[in-house]
């Protein structure tokens, strides 16, 4: 169980969920690092079987927002797929940055009744993200990127998430 803030105070609730999103993104990056380590390990069943030049991030709901944040943080992510993402925890500033790689969003017509605690719907937020993504991904030339060489200190930019 999480120590949930009082829902009657939307700002506290948003700060809690935004921090939670940050930790979820770090969990995804940790899992990616583990896969890369397995790919590099001659004793692993995955040794040299992963194509590290074609890494995609995909998530649903809160995980959809988390993989969007991961794609902003890590240039190894070549495309991002967000399945009915819960965008409120993402935050307007991060949304306006767009996603620096090709992005696909599948969205339900209604999102938990579009609970509108910030006077904006989930659909408006994903639309803002998509509009910001088009210019952000123009410079993402997937074909010319070099394979990423893994390093154990990949999470050294955690403070950038605040």
């Amino acid at each position: 169980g999480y120590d949930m803030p009082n829902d009657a105070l939307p700002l506290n609730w948003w700060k809690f969920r935004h921090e939670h999103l940050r930790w979820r993104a770090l969990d995804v990056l940790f899992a990616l690092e583990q896969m890369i380590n397995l790919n590099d390990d001659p004793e692993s069943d995955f040794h040299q079987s992963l194509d590290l030049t074609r890494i995609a991030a995909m998530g649903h709901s809160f995980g959809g927002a988390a993989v969007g944040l991961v794609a902003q943080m890590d240039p190894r992510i070549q495309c991002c797929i967000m399945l009915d993402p819960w965008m409120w925890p993402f935050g307007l500033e991060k949304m306006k940055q767009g996603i620096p790689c090709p992005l696909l969003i599948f969205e339900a017509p209604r999102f938990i009744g579009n609970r509108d605690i910030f006077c904006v719907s989930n659909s408006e937020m994903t639309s803002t993200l998509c509009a910001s993504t088009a210019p952000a991904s123009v410079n993402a030339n997937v074909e010319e990127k070099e394979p990423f060489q893994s390093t154990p200190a990949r999470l050294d930019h955690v403070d950038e998430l605040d």
Side-chain angles (χ1 to χ4, degrees):
Y2 293 101
D3 185 18
M4 287 289 293
N6 183 346
D7 241 5
L9 303 171
L11 184 59
N12 290 343
W13 183 86
W14 180 83
K15 285 180 181 176
F16 169 80
R17 282 305 194 180
H18 184 67
E19 183 69 13
H20 183 192
L21 180 64
R22 179 175 166 260
W23 286 109
R24 179 74 59 95
L26 292 173
D27 286 344
V28 172
L29 285 174
F30 177 79
L32 176 58
E33 287 298 326
Q34 296 308 304
M35 293 301 297
I36 290 169
N37 291 340
L38 288 171
N39 191 61
D40 293 342
D41 181 1
E43 301 295 317
S44 166
D45 290 337
F46 291 101
H47 184 251
Q48 299 301 312
S49 64
L50 304 176
D51 182 352
L52 301 179
T53 66
R54 297 173 23 158
I55 299 173
M58 182 171 80
H60 171 256
S61 192
F62 195 65
V67 297
L69 190 55
V70 166
Q72 286 182 336
M73 294 166 47
D74 197 319
R76 297 175 292 182
I77 306 301
Q78 299 297 301
C79 71
C80 183
I81 303 166
M82 302 166 88
L83 305 172
D84 207 14
W86 184 35
M87 296 304 298
W88 292 310
F90 207 76
L92 186 59
E93 291 307 312
K94 287 287 182 192
M95 209 161 317
K96 286 182 176 179
Q97 292 175 12
I99 305 294
C101 61
L103 170 67
L104 176 63
I105 297 179
F106 288 100
E107 189 171 49
R110 285 189 62 180
F111 187 84
I112 47 179
N114 262 335
R115 186 169 160 225
D116 193 9
I117 65 171
F118 299 113
C119 303
V120 64
S121 72
N122 202 64
S123 299
E124 290 172 284
M125 295 181 84
T126 55
S127 294
T128 300
L129 181 65
C130 289
S132 300
T133 292
S137 67
V138 166
N139 295 324
N141 190 340
V142 175
E143 309 219 357
E144 292 183 16
K145 289 192 177 181
E146 294 294 321
F148 181 82
Q149 299 298 316
S150 65
T151 62
R154 186 63 195 119
L155 302 179
D156 59 350
H157 55 285
V158 172
D159 295 333
E160 293 175 14
L161 298 175
D162 292 327

